[in-house]
Amino acid sequence: MTAAQLTARRAGPLKGRVRAPGDKSISHRALILGALATGETTIEGLLEGEDVLRTAAAMAAFGAEVERLGGGRWRVRGLGGFAEPGDVIDCGNAGTGVRLILGAAAGFDLSVTFTGDESLRGRPMRRVLKPLGEMGATWTARSGERLPLTLRGGGLKHIAYRLPEPSAQVKSAVLLAGLHADGGAEVVEPEATRDHTERMLRAFGAQVEVADEGRERRIVVAGGQALVGTAVRAPGDPSSAAFPLVAALITPGSEVTVEGVLLNPLRIGLLETLREMGADLSVTNLREEGGEPVGDVTARHSRLRGVVVPPERAPSMIDEYPILGVAAAFAEGPTVMRGLAELRVKESDRIALMAAGLAACGVGVEEEPEGLTVIGTVRGAHGVAGGARVATHGDHRIAMSHLVLGLASEAPVAVDQPGMIATSFPGFVALMQGLGGEIEAAPLPEA
Ligand code: S3P
């Protein structure tokens, strides 16, 4: 049975070495490319969170043989393409899952219906449907351009597409469709976003051209390329590692090391920002694993100061703003975060929910249409009050961020719908408890 609430309270320092779960972005892509390829793909360190398990089930529905070998090891035998599934594809809470699979499926002569949970059914799909439509795919949706919708793929033609918003999901959808389009596909990003699709396509034997043109990036894939199964290793997810690392930074006396964290330059915006805030962060054992830079990251309790986060850094830390908001709450002086329009269409409206959650915990915040300023603590004054029940609207990162806050605030903090944490970080509570964090399945004690 899943608890209705989880409560975090301040205890001693956090100490220890842990491994973050496998990277969510890489895990989705490994399953999808494995299913599109011919031959065998083995995946080590796959994130066995609910989002990724939905993608695994979807790949089986499209005809791939998908086997869980245990201990995060998986085997996929692809057909070299997708067959029409016999049933609706339910992507649960996963925006990445559905958008990438829409792109991959569009390349084949099939019809398929996609749906998701309440949050995913409310999220915009036009961003992928527009370019896929220009390539020749068609769809019908019950209401607007949202799930549930039925896609008809096949007969795609070339597209040269300039992304209106920096989105690795949309880029990836177009590139995956381009693999099976006459003439391939070209995507121009206004700012570079995570490039795991490009890197992994190469590992599966595809040719992908990438050219930087000022801040823009142009990516070209030729059509008719066959993928060949390969061995993939998913490193630790920096977006998950962020929670124990920030918890250590804000809890006096703490020192925590997260091992094997993916340090792709397009994913480390949070680490850069925390360093600018004065965080004591160090990386050791820097190495390359499966074409991606990986290292062990150590965080020690630090006196943080507020900063202005450059808006152009947003794509490299887009999922980390909620936990940055928590770090900012414990920093001296304001932290200004702008250029965050995309945060309003994530698993929840993350600007609104962080503003509400932090305010409920006694933190000064100013919400803007595309930004958030966290006022931070004042030297000599008390720390963060806490003492709130936070409504997460089923958003895993809103839940984990406020639990981390509760580990260092004066009064405990409770979050609702904690079961959703399993979408991206199934072992979060046990991992934090192992470091000494007090998180329990109980409501907030009455004041
Ligand atoms: C992801 C891209 C980002 C990110 C998401 C994972 C990916 O979304 O928020 O969690 O794996 O491509 P957008 O592409 O919508 O920015």
Side-chain angles (χ1 to χ4, degrees), residues 24-25 29 96 127 166-169 194 318-319 342 346:
K24 182 153 73 76
S25 295
R29 286 161 173 79
T96 305
R127 49 184 57 204
S167 167
Q169 293 177 359
R194 65 190 72 194
I318 194 66
D319 292 336
E342 283 295 303
K346 292 293 176 191

Side-chain angles (χ1 to χ4, degrees), residues 94-436:
T96 305
V98 75
R99 294 193 179 117
L100 268 59
I101 300 170
L102 274 163
F108 301 96
D109 180 17
L110 53 77
S111 170
V112 50
T113 301
F114 291 92
T115 193
D117 70 5
E118 197 186 330
S119 154
L120 194 59
R121 290 197 307 271
R123 293 179 68 185
M125 293 300 142
R126 179 178 163 71
R127 49 184 57 204
V128 282
L129 294 174
K130 183 173 178 286
L132 296 179
E134 286 176 22
M135 297 175 86
T138 58
W139 68 88
T140 50
R142 207 180 297 156
S143 79
E145 285 156 324
R146 297 188 192 260
L147 301 180
L149 64 84
T150 301
L151 176 85
R152 168 142 279 292
L156 300 189
K157 58 180 196 298
H158 174 262
I159 190 171
Y161 193 65
R162 180 173 288 271
L163 296 181
E165 59 282 299
S167 167
Q169 293 177 359
V170 179
K171 167 179 67 177
S172 301
V174 176
L175 295 177
L176 293 178
L179 285 178
H180 297 98
D182 187 11
E186 176 178 327
V187 180
V188 176
E189 311 186 86
E191 295 162 71
T193 65
R194 65 190 72 194
D195 58 357
H196 310 305
T197 302
E198 297 90 309
R199 288 175 186 247
M200 208 184 285
L201 278 171
R202 290 199 182 113
F204 278 79
Q207 282 203 343
V208 185
E209 285 165 36
V210 178
D212 284 325
E213 298 164 2
R215 265 174 58 191
E216 291 190 350
R217 180 169 274 195
R218 183 181 305 273
I219 306 116
V220 180
V221 290
Q225 298 198 63
L227 305 182
V228 182
T230 187
V232 180
R233 189 187 168 116
D237 195 328
S239 304
S240 297
F243 297 105
L245 292 174
V246 169
L249 292 176
I250 61 174
T251 307
S254 299
E255 176 171 336
V256 167
T257 299
V258 186
E259 296 174 349
V261 181
L262 171 68
L263 295 174
N264 178 310
L266 295 166
R267 297 288 300 279
I268 56 171
L270 176 74
L271 297 182
E272 273 176 80
T273 304
L274 290 171
R275 282 209 175 100
E276 289 168 5
M277 295 173 80
D280 181 349
L281 286 171
S282 51
V283 176
T284 52
N285 198 12
L286 193 60
R287 56 205 185 266
E288 202 177 286
E289 281 180 10
E292 295 274 5
V294 170
D296 301 341
V297 185
T298 300
R300 292 177 196 86
H301 174 249
S302 305
R303 184 164 197 156
L304 301 176
R305 54 184 177 272
V307 293
V308 177
V309 186
E312 63 275 11
R313 195 177 286 163
S316 67
M317 53 181 293
I318 194 66
D319 292 336
E320 283 72 83
Y321 283 96
I323 191 64
L324 176 63
V326 172
F330 289 84
E332 185 187 328
T335 294
V336 181
M337 306 173 236
R338 297 227 165 92
L340 305 186
E342 283 295 303
L343 282 198
R344 296 228 181 250
V345 291
K346 292 293 176 191
E347 285 84 329
S348 70
D349 176 345
R350 287 185 172 158
I351 297 181
L353 290 194
M354 281 314 294
L358 290 173
C361 292
V363 180
V365 286
E366 282 164 19
E367 183 179 343
E368 294 167 24
E370 298 188 0
L372 184 69
T373 296
V374 177
I375 307 302
T377 55
V378 179
R379 195 193 291 271
H382 284 292
V384 172
R389 277 186 197 86
V390 174
T392 65
H393 293 246
D395 186 325
H396 53 131
R397 297 198 204 281
I398 298 293
M400 288 186 278
S401 296
H402 286 95
L403 288 171
V404 167
L405 185 148
L407 292 175
S409 56
E410 278 157 32
V413 173
V415 302
D416 67 1
Q417 293 182 265
M420 293 303 286
I421 291 172
T423 59
S424 69
F425 199 156
F428 170 76
V429 173
L431 182 142
M432 296 307 294
Q433 287 168 337
L435 291 171

